[in-house]
């Protein structure tokens, strides 16, 4: 894992051939001889990436993770909303963790910078050129998606999810699964943009809940909002309550 602290300008990550991506080498189905030669050494690389990530973020508290599309343009209202949300959270004392890229990630890191809060970017190796946005104070580039996802969960007090694509949905549903199965202590999962996310919530209630594949509280625990101030209110109340009472997912907040 590559690490850069307090950089003052964009860091460009050159493209990497698809066949050279560590994730791909791990998840593809190689021949037996190749497995015998490489798999045990890959475990050590994975371990070292976990250790480096933990060491680099051990002092980060409290923090929230903000997700959303890398394709969101500056002119998009959600970009401005992400800046405002992160700035308000930063002023409330929270560090901001993103994927470190453009779009919503850049907006959130920018908001953190405006607030004087710690701005963190957890980047990932991809088969095309990318850059860590200029508003990141503490940058990391991971080889493995699952290691990176662990950092997002482990060091966050909340997940704020702006409109995005497959990657955003992956982070969102991964967090909901961990909360549902009690693998992690419950924390707020907030969807920003009622128009964007409303169809998903409707489908969950109409199809998934009706089929008894989830429980009502699995959906009821998801916040869907349109105001940055509402995001901050939810996060601060949840955090303060957890600190003062040490209550967890078995004792949900009284009002939504």
């Amino acid at each position: 894992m590559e690490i850069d602290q307090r950089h003052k300008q964009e860091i460009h990550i050159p493209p990497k051939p698809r066949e050279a991506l560590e994730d791909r080498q791990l998840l593809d189905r190689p021949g037996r001889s190749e497995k015998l030669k490489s798999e045990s050494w890959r475990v050590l690389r994975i371990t070292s990436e976990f250790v480096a990530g933990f060491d680099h973020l051990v002092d980060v508290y409290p923090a929230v993770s903000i997700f959303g599309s890398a394709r969101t343009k500056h002119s998009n209202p959600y970009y401005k909303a992400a800046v405002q949300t992160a700035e308000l959270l930063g002023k409330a004392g929270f560090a901001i963790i993103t994927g470190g890229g453009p779009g919503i990630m850049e907006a959130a890191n920018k908001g953190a910078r405006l607030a004087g809060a710690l701005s963190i970017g957890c980047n990932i190796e991809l088969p095309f050129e990318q850059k860590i946005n200029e508003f990141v104070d503490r940058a990391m580039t991971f080889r493995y998606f699952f290691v990176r996802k662990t950092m997002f969960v482990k060091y966050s007090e909340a997940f704020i999810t702006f409109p995005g694509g497959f990657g955003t949905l992956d982070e969102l549903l991964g967090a909901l699964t961990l909360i549902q199965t009690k693998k992690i202590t419950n924390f707020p999962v907030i969807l920003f943009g009622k128009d964007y996310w409303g169809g998903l919530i409707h489908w969950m209630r109409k199809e998934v809940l009706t089929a008894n594949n989830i429980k009502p509280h699995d959906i009821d625990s998801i916040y869907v909002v349109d105001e940055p101030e509402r995001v901050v209110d939810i996060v601060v109340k949840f955090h303060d309550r957890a600190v003062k009472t040490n209550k967890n997912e078995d004792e949900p907040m009284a009002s939504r």
Side-chain angles (χ1 to χ4, degrees):
M1 182 181 71
E2 298 177 4
I3 295 175
D4 178 83
Q5 293 208 50
R6 306 300 303 184
H7 70 275
K8 299 301 181 182
Q9 54 187 327
E10 294 174 349
I11 298 175
H12 286 261
I13 310 299
K16 193 168 186 178
R18 294 180 183 180
E19 62 275 10
L21 290 172
E22 292 288 346
D23 260 341
R24 181 163 179 152
Q25 292 184 38
L26 173 66
L27 299 174
D28 268 357
R29 297 189 294 270
R32 178 171 174 77
S33 60
E34 184 179 344
K35 275 190 175 181
L36 292 175
K37 292 177 182 177
S38 64
E39 295 302 271
S40 58
W41 288 106
R42 187 163 288 117
V43 170
L44 295 178
R45 287 198 295 272
I46 293 169
T47 301
S48 69
E49 188 153 296
F50 272 116
V51 171
F54 292 154
D55 284 349
H56 200 54
L57 296 176
V58 67
D59 63 329
V60 176
Y61 178 83
V64 298
S65 290
I66 297 180
F67 304 101
S69 176
R71 303 178 183 184
T72 304
K73 305 300 183 184
H74 289 199
S75 59
N76 190 307
Y78 287 121
Y79 184 97
K80 181 179 179 180
V83 174
Q84 294 175 336
T85 301
E87 183 176 6
L88 290 173
L89 285 166
K91 290 179 178 178
F94 293 88
I96 305 298
I97 305 173
T98 79
I104 292 296
M105 295 174 282
E106 176 188 293
N109 289 129
K110 180 179 180 179
R113 178 72 61 82
L114 290 173
L118 181 60
S119 179
I120 299 168
C122 296
N123 192 37
I124 186 72
E125 285 187 349
L126 294 171
F128 45 81
E129 186 177 17
Q130 59 196 318
K131 63 183 180 182
I132 296 175
N133 70 72
E134 62 183 306
F135 303 107
V136 170
D137 299 322
R138 189 180 297 188
M140 294 156 283
T141 298
F142 293 88
R143 297 184 182 91
Y144 300 99
F145 265 111
F146 58 86
V147 179
R148 178 184 185 238
K149 289 170 71 173
T150 299
M151 303 304 150
F152 284 138
V153 173
K154 182 173 178 61
Y155 294 99
S156 293
E157 298 286 295
F159 270 24
I160 298 102
T161 309
F162 281 79
F166 286 159
T168 302
L169 289 168
D170 178 49
E171 299 293 352
L172 168 64
L173 295 176
L176 292 174
T177 301
L178 291 172
I179 292 171
Q180 180 194 56
T181 57
K182 310 300 183 184
K183 292 294 185 180
I184 60 173
T185 300
N186 191 11
F187 59 64
V189 175
I190 304 167
L191 304 183
F192 194 102
K194 293 180 181 179
D195 288 343
Y196 190 88
W197 296 111
L200 174 64
I201 298 299
H202 175 74
W203 174 78
M204 285 183 176
R205 291 190 185 280
K206 183 175 183 294
E207 302 294 342
V208 189
L209 180 60
T210 300
N212 199 34
N213 290 326
I214 56 175
K215 300 297 184 183
H217 62 77
D218 293 327
I219 300 178
D220 293 340
S221 66
I222 304 172
Y223 298 86
V224 186
V225 306
D226 276 329
E227 303 83 20
E229 294 80 5
R230 177 62 177 143
V231 174
V232 179
D233 181 59
I234 294 167
V235 174
V236 169
K237 283 184 177 179
F238 198 98
H239 172 72
D240 288 349
R241 180 177 179 277
V243 170
K244 291 177 182 178
T245 66
N246 198 32
K247 292 182 179 179
N248 57 31
E249 68 274 4
D250 295 320
E251 301 171 86
M253 297 204 311
S255 61
R256 298 190 55 74

